[in-house]
Amino acid sequence: MRWLRCHKMIVGFGFVLLLLGLTAAPPAQAGPWSPGTAAPVVSPGREPGVPESGVRESGVRESGVREPGVRESGVRESGVRESGARPKAVTFKGRAFDTCRAPSADTMRRWRASPYRAVGVYFGGRGRACRSQPHLSHRWMRTVRDQGWRVLPLYVGSQSTCVFARHKKNVRIGRHPWKQGTAEARDAVKRAAALGMRPGSPLFLDMEAYAYRNKKCARTTLLFVRGWNREVSRRGYLPGFYSSAASGVAHMERSRRAGVRDLPSVVWFARWGVKNGLHREPVLRKTAWAPARRIHQYAGNVRERHGGRTLLIDRNLMHAPVARVD
């Protein structure tokens, strides 16, 4: 009987170690990571067939309500910090649009006639559809900031090994996902800094929709995302995640509930054809990525004309950090 009790204790102890190992970082990447006071964030995965810009033939829109004490632009200093000495995040609550190629500064000036006050720009990544960005520069960032715009930086890096979109299969994650995620995070930070985005800015990893229920693929994708997040955070920026609610976001939320570390700090989820809202997303618990850590892309591939200029855009409602521009 004594031998049997000892055997049970050994087995039980081994089971505890196994559980702990599920949430531990790879040994070579040891080191603490603090997600701040908000719950660890997971990002949504884009719907099958939706290109990088979120283009798809359905959608809904939503507007934000100004908070007490928030300036007309909806911008205020948030007291949430992601790590020790990181600057305070600047948050915005209201409408935003994103488009594949950054519009000219003159078009942005004309679009002040629109209901939007924030813009998503694709600033880097080997999976980016619109590699040519003739207007996007440090000068452009300063100009649109002075016009009253807030910027949401999107980085389209390597994609999941089980990504649905055919045009993304040539940029899938390789054999060393954590290492690759870390390297691409360094590239993202370097490019963001060159555009005048200071530490404390969110950098959103754009991950197209993928078959997250495929265990092997999910593990590889999660390692890549976690490696990217940890490195972005280590360098003083906020790791954000864009994906469809039905795949990437669901995967991140499941990981969050399992206690996985190094998840995104801000989540940008795509779900079209539903009533817009930041806290109605069924795959996310209301306490996840709250407060001021969510963006809902509720429509895509829509043409809008403001100030005499027409753009093909995706529509978003947000309450989340925006870039801090020099």
Side-chain angles (χ1 to χ4, degrees):
M1 292 297 291
R2 180 179 301 173
W3 176 87
L4 181 60
R5 285 197 298 271
C6 291
H7 178 71
K8 289 180 177 179
M9 289 176 66
I10 291 171
V11 172
F13 183 65
F15 181 68
V16 171
L17 288 178
L18 177 61
L19 287 178
L20 289 174
L22 292 176
T23 59
Q29 306 295 336
W33 180 85
S34 172
T37 58
V41 183
V42 178
S43 309
R46 193 169 286 159
E47 303 289 344
V50 181
E52 163 212 329
S53 63
V55 173
R56 178 176 161 182
E57 320 224 353
S58 64
V60 193
R61 206 181 245 193
E62 172 171 323
S63 59
V65 179
R66 189 183 308 168
E67 286 189 295
V70 180
R71 297 192 297 265
E72 188 233 346
S73 63
V75 177
R76 72 175 181 181
E77 293 290 317
S78 165
V80 178
R81 291 173 183 254
E82 291 303 301
S83 63
R86 178 170 298 156
K88 291 182 179 180
V90 176
T91 62
F92 170 76
K93 185 176 184 179
R95 295 190 188 189
F97 76 93
D98 63 275
T99 185
C100 193
R101 184 170 285 110
S104 68
D106 184 56
T107 296
M108 293 299 296
R109 178 183 61 81
R110 291 168 178 262
W111 265 57
R112 284 288 295 174
S114 74
Y116 306 105
R117 288 297 178 268
V119 58
V121 296
Y122 294 89
F123 74 99
R126 73 189 191 106
R128 183 170 51 164
C130 293
R131 289 176 176 267
S132 174
Q133 296 284 349
H135 304 300
L136 190 57
S137 64
H138 192 174
R139 181 178 180 180
W140 184 91
M141 295 285 289
R142 285 177 171 175
T143 299
V144 299
R145 176 203 62 190
D146 293 344
Q147 290 173 351
W149 291 98
R150 307 301 162 182
V151 178
L152 297 168
L154 285 144
Y155 185 90
V156 192
S158 296
Q159 298 296 297
S160 174
T161 55
C162 52
V163 63
F164 292 128
R166 289 184 179 180
H167 63 289
K168 298 297 183 185
K169 291 184 182 294
N170 64 327
V171 291
R172 287 179 288 188
I173 299 165
R175 296 175 61 185
H176 306 286
W178 186 285
K179 184 177 180 180
Q180 189 174 354
T182 300
E184 292 190 27
R186 294 194 193 105
D187 179 63
V189 169
K190 180 180 177 180
R191 290 174 180 271
L195 290 171
M197 288 181 265
R198 293 183 289 166
S201 300
L203 303 180
F204 291 91
L205 178 63
D206 182 325
M207 187 68 66
E208 300 294 323
Y210 56 97
Y212 79 97
R213 294 185 185 278
N214 178 318
K215 292 182 179 180
K216 182 178 179 181
C217 174
R219 182 179 182 278
T220 298
T221 306
L222 187 58
L223 282 172
F224 175 88
V225 173
R226 293 178 62 208
W228 197 90
N229 291 341
R230 178 175 288 193
E231 186 65 13
V232 166
S233 181
R234 190 181 73 83
R235 291 173 179 265
Y237 290 77
L238 301 178
F241 187 81
Y242 170 92
S243 190
S244 74
S247 66
V249 177
H251 184 198
M252 293 301 132
E253 172 65 355
R254 185 172 68 176
S255 301
R256 184 191 69 83
R257 294 183 188 184
V260 175
R261 298 183 299 166
D262 302 312
L263 295 179
S265 297
V266 190
V267 65
W268 187 341
F269 56 95
R271 186 180 291 279
W272 301 357
V274 299
K275 188 173 182 179
N276 53 359
L278 296 175
H279 305 290
R280 299 189 185 100
E281 175 48 52
V283 304
L284 293 173
R285 287 183 179 172
K286 291 184 178 180
T287 55
W289 295 291
R293 296 303 175 98
R294 293 187 179 193
I295 303 173
H296 177 199
Q297 185 182 90
Y298 55 88
N301 196 22
V302 294
R303 293 188 182 276
E304 288 195 28
R305 186 174 180 82
H306 301 285
R309 297 286 172 82
T310 302
L311 294 175
L312 184 67
I313 67 167
D314 303 327
R315 298 166 176 166
N316 304 274
L317 178 70
M318 63 175 292
H319 187 190
V322 292
R324 305 175 79 242
V325 181
D326 277 336

